[in-house]
Every structure is written in C-alpha cells, then in structure tokens.
Amino acid sequence: MKGFAGERANGKAARFANREAVQNWNPASYRTLAYADNIQVLPVPQVEQFVGVPVAQVANFAALSPLPATIQYLYPDTSDYYYRYGDGYLYQVDRGTSLIDALIPLMAGGFLPGQYLPNSYMNSYVPAYYGFNSFYPDYGNVCNRYYQGVVYQVDCDDGYVENVIPMYAGGYGVGQILPSAYSYYNVPVQYRSLYYDTPDYGYWYSPGAIYQYDTRSSMITSVAALLSPGFTIGRPLPMGYDVYNVPYDYRATYYDTPNAWYRYSNGYIYQVDPVTQLVTAIVASLLT
Amino acid sequence: MRSHALALGLGAAAVLALGACNKDNNKSARGAPEAQTKKAQKVAGTKTIAAGIAPGSRFMTAAKTSGLDQTLAGPGPYTVFVPDDAAFNSAPPGTFDPKPENRAQMTGVLTSLILQGTVMTADIDKLIDRGKGKGMLATAGGGLLTATKDGGKIVLTDSGGHKATITQGDEQYTNGVVHHVDALLMPGKPASGPAVGQKKAK
C-alpha cells in the first residue's frame, strides 16, 4: 500500500494543511463511487485530506458512524483510539486529540478508487489462473487490469480507478467490503445447500474463496470455504494438483490404478488419465 | 448524491456525540458470527481441524485474526501444515501482531500453508517418488510448494526458498488432515497491508 495519506499525515505542517483543505473543501470536484449494496466510496485524494483533522469537522463531509455492533470485533477500539467508518474507509481517531490519525481503506490494493492507474499497467491483464479473467471480463467502458494480486476496474479511457478487487491470496478478506456489482448471490451450485443468505449474513463467491459478509455494511466477516481453481473435463490437471487428495471416506472406492487416477476439487472427485494427465470425468459429488 | 452524503454526515455527528458520552462501551456486543451453517457444520463433522489445533497456539491466533479459524471449521477437506510456535519467530517483526491492519498479510501467509483435499504423508511420498525426487503442491494461496525428502523426512520449500520439515504428520480430523512443520513458509511476494497513514502502536 502506498502511503498516500501517510505522506500527508507526517508532520504538523501536513496536518495543518489538511485542516485548511477540509475547511475549504469543495465536494463538487470529486466523483462518488458506488460499492456493493448501498455503499458509496469517496475517492482517496479526497479522503486523505481528512487525516490530521478533528473528527467533528470531518463528520460534516463524510458519513462517519460507529461500526455496527455485529462487526465491532473486527476493528476493536483501544484505550488510545477508537474507530469510525463510512464511505469505504475506517478512520482511526485519537482519543486524546480527537484528530483522525489514520485511515484504513476497506479495500486492499496499491491503488485506490479515485486515483489513476499508471498507463503502463493498462496492458497488465487479469490472469487466467483460478478463472479470474473470465470472472472479471471487460465490459462497456470498464477495463479490468491486474497488478500484484489485485484487480482494478478502471475507466478504459483514462485509467480512473473505480473499483478495487484484491484476490484472496493478495490479502482480500475479513474486514474489507465487497466490490461493487458483485454482491449478488453467486455461490457455486455444489456449495449452495451449505452457504445460503440469511437476513443478517450473505455469502459471496470470488475465485479462491466463499466469503460470509454482513448484509448491513457489506463487510466481509469470514472466509467460509477455500476453493481451488477447479478442474475442467478434457483439460490437463493444473500444476500442483497431481497429488492424491481424496477425502478419507472415499479412498476405499476411489484409489489410483495404472488406468485411472482420482483427484478431489471443490466438492467433486474427478477421474484423470494417468498417461495424458487429462481430466476425464466427474465420478462423485460430495456436497450434493 | 452529495446532499445525501452531507445529510448522512450530519446524522453521523449526532451518533458520534452519543458515542462519545459512552466511552466505556467500546467492546463489541457480539463476537465473530458463525460462518458455517448448521448443514455445513454437519458435513464438517465433530472433530474439525479448527477444534483440534491448540486454541492458544500462534497458528490458531493468526487464523482467528484473519478469519481462517472459521474456514477450518467447515467441510473442507483441507490439508494444513501447522508451524510450531517457535517457527513464527522467524517472520519479520510485527507480521503476526493480531491487529486489523495485519489481516491481509496473515491471510497471505496462512493460505500458503493450506492445500485443498486430504493429502497424507504417504501421498506426498508417492508424489515425490513419481517425480523422481520432487513433487509440486498447489496451495490455497495460489502458490506452489516443492516437496522433497531429506533423511527420510518430507521437506517443503516455498517460492522464496524457505524450507520446512514435516515433524509430525497425518493428524486426522473429520474435515482433513494436519501435518506439523518446524518452520514457516511465506509467500514469494508478501501481500500489501491495507493501512494508510497508520501510526505505530502506542
């Protein structure tokens, strides 16, 4: 993460500059971005100006509120500071000074909404691994680009970052918010009888994991299941998946022979040709 | 949209004032919700990996911070390489401090220790034999571990060259298997944390 706000927050001069900027702040010059369900995100060039400013002053411009009780455990207050959140960020407030002394974006990634992806990254496409490239296709004037474990949805013309979707191993997880336009129920069919929406919590799939999220805040509360890239019939086993990994209860039935291997992935047991290493069939569904 | 945001901001200020009057009440009324539904719990079984790993261990503390304790209570099945507590000392200082801003980094490290499916040590042995001395294991974090043998023991090497030996393998649970290892395996490129402008803990 680049220290955007940190650079501004370092030193009293920067803090005073931020206070002055907020006093003269003109919200009309910023685009407001939409995230998940009913979540708006303020562009980071705007929000970074809030660091070092009294929380009461910032509350005039940002939708600051205490975390919902159901998710306060994710960001516990301490005797030195407490948290407020809103508009896609968590604000750490110093109890002694009542100044906002840190900003935690609820989206991981090196670039944040409201910034511009460097032009050189516009040719950095989403990888095929885990099927990410088909899960995040370009559409309309929205381009999906990838850099160091994070998918950036940007304006195709100017690289304006509209959405940040870190991949699971890139640090996406608990305490962050769902990306926009992906908060509909999309759990893979074999997991739907296990992970279904309730009035309080929803489940959302992104390649690599099924997440549980708080429906009020769209904040991720847990990783319900870890998934693999999955196998495709007629295609070779992905690298690293040729070790025998069938669950105990199925080993007596599905054991490797010179003519057939069996491998587990995402709720299914697949048959594999040992010679060609091609996946030939699904032979068992374990969850349905 | 902007006027709506302003209205929200004014409303929030009122809530903020109420909150300021009640500073002692800053603990969450509830803990983490159950991620596993009743049916998922039934499929996972009664003796899960999450329940079996010592709750005070550094691995489990990190798993709780990053929400993976709930994952390991689910159906899986998973194969988990659990480093000894002492192994966590080799990580850069602060990596496993249970702070919110460390969650992303911990998630990246822990998922490099988890495989999908049930992989016993005998299965890794066969993989190594078939590969004439080495085999590759894909982790939930999207990386690869190289498995080799040294002195009859299985050695795992990550993309950064860190090595860990399985010291006690095949601890079976209803949703997978745990192998204890003597060192920490780290992803090749550490995940960047979400903190911006975060000052050091007081």
Side-chain angles (χ1 to χ4, degrees):
Chain A
M1 175 64 61
K2 307 287 187 293
F4 305 112
E7 289 163 11
R8 286 187 177 243
N10 288 336
K12 289 182 179 176
R15 288 175 182 267
F16 284 126
N18 274 1
R19 288 188 208 183
E20 190 176 349
V22 170
Q23 282 168 351
N24 300 322
W25 184 59
N26 176 14
S29 61
Y30 297 100
R31 285 196 235 178
T32 301
L33 305 164
Y35 250 67
D37 286 333
N38 305 316
I39 301 288
Q40 69 168 17
V41 170
L42 295 176
V44 71
Q46 171 187 340
V47 179
E48 65 177 346
Q49 297 178 41
F50 296 159
V51 176
V53 176
V55 64
Q57 189 178 345
V58 172
N60 292 324
F61 306 109
L64 300 185
S65 61
L67 285 163
T70 50
I71 53 171
Q72 281 178 9
Y73 72 94
L74 290 170
Y75 296 102
D77 295 345
T78 74
S79 57
D80 294 324
Y81 56 80
Y82 62 93
Y83 290 108
R84 289 292 179 265
Y85 98 119
D87 299 332
Y89 301 86
L90 203 68
Y91 301 89
Q92 183 177 298
V93 184
D94 187 298
R95 288 187 185 278
T97 63
S98 291
L99 301 179
I100 291 175
D101 63 10
L103 179 68
I104 301 177
L106 297 173
M107 311 135 282
F111 298 91
L112 291 167
Q115 296 183 308
Y116 290 88
L117 202 65
N119 199 39
S120 56
Y121 296 172
M122 292 301 285
N123 293 323
S124 180
Y125 297 97
V126 179
Y129 187 75
Y130 272 114
F132 279 117
N133 56 350
S134 57
F135 197 78
Y136 298 114
D138 293 353
Y139 59 93
N141 200 40
V142 174
C143 287
N144 285 292
R145 295 296 179 263
Y146 172 86
Y147 182 67
Q148 289 196 342
V150 179
V151 173
Y152 296 97
Q153 290 190 335
V154 302
D155 185 305
C156 297
D157 294 331
D158 58 11
Y160 186 82
V161 177
E162 297 177 349
N163 205 344
V164 181
I165 311 167
M167 296 182 180
Y168 182 62
Y172 192 38
V174 170
Q176 295 177 298
I177 56 174
L178 299 185
S180 67
Y182 289 101
S183 54
Y184 52 85
Y185 184 69
N186 66 348
V187 170
V189 63
Q190 68 270 32
Y191 287 94
R192 291 192 169 203
S193 65
L194 302 181
Y195 303 117
Y196 41 84
D197 291 352
T198 69
D200 293 330
Y201 299 101
Y203 290 92
W204 179 74
Y205 164 79
S206 177
I210 295 171
Y211 301 93
Q212 182 200 47
Y213 67 94
D214 177 86
T215 51
R216 288 156 294 243
S217 62
S218 289
M219 206 176 280
I220 293 170
T221 51
S222 190
V223 180
L226 293 171
L227 276 60
S228 74
F231 301 160
T232 304
I233 293 172
R235 304 281 297 172
L237 274 178
M239 182 180 286
Y241 287 92
D242 54 339
V243 68
Y244 183 70
N245 67 345
V246 171
Y248 307 124
D249 293 347
Y250 297 83
R251 289 190 166 216
T253 305
Y254 301 105
Y255 50 87
D256 287 359
T257 71
N259 298 321
W261 284 358
Y262 297 95
R263 297 293 179 265
Y264 170 83
S265 178
N266 297 347
Y268 298 117
I269 295 174
Y270 293 82
Q271 189 178 60
V272 178
D273 184 317
V275 177
T276 62
Q277 302 267 304
L278 295 177
V279 178
T280 54
I282 291 176
V283 294
S285 175
L286 277 53
L287 300 175
T288 55
Chain B
M1 179 65 81
R2 282 193 300 278
S3 60
H4 177 60
L6 188 60
L8 275 174
L10 292 170
V15 175
L16 196 62
L18 286 173
C21 295
N22 192 15
K23 280 187 178 178
D24 293 335
N25 186 24
N26 52 25
K27 285 187 178 177
S28 169
R30 307 176 208 180
E34 291 264 9
Q36 306 299 335
T37 62
K38 294 294 179 198
K39 185 170 181 188
Q41 289 177 28
K42 189 175 178 184
V43 175
T46 53
K47 190 187 171 194
T48 64
I49 295 170
I53 299 174
S57 66
R58 294 188 70 178
F59 177 89
M60 212 54 198
T61 301
K64 284 178 182 169
T65 301
S66 52
L68 281 167
D69 59 322
Q70 301 258 359
T71 319
L72 298 177
Y78 303 110
T79 299
V80 187
F81 300 110
V82 177
D84 300 337
D85 277 359
F88 284 79
N89 294 332
S90 65
T95 303
F96 290 98
D97 285 352
K99 299 187 295 187
E101 54 268 38
N102 272 351
R103 277 195 199 110
Q105 186 165 249
M106 277 193 247
T107 299
V109 174
L110 295 185
T111 51
S112 70
L113 298 167
I114 301 174
L115 315 179
Q116 208 189 37
T118 305
V119 181
M120 310 296 284
T121 52
D123 302 322
I124 302 175
D125 281 338
K126 287 177 187 172
L127 177 76
I128 294 170
D129 290 343
R130 201 168 63 233
K132 297 177 180 172
K134 72 174 183 180
M136 307 301 282
L137 299 167
T139 73
L144 288 170
L145 299 176
T146 303
T148 54
K149 293 294 283 283
D150 185 6
K153 293 185 174 179
I154 295 171
V155 177
L156 305 168
T157 306
D158 66 18
S159 58
H162 308 104
K163 291 180 184 295
T165 300
I166 295 180
T167 53
Q168 182 189 340
D170 297 337
E171 201 171 272
Q172 295 186 33
Y173 294 94
T174 48
N175 64 344
V177 62
V178 163
H179 307 300
H180 293 270
V181 294
D182 65 354
L184 200 58
L185 298 165
M186 304 277 282
K189 290 180 180 175
S192 59
V196 173
Q198 188 78 26
K199 71 178 184 182
K200 290 180 182 175
K202 292 180 180 176

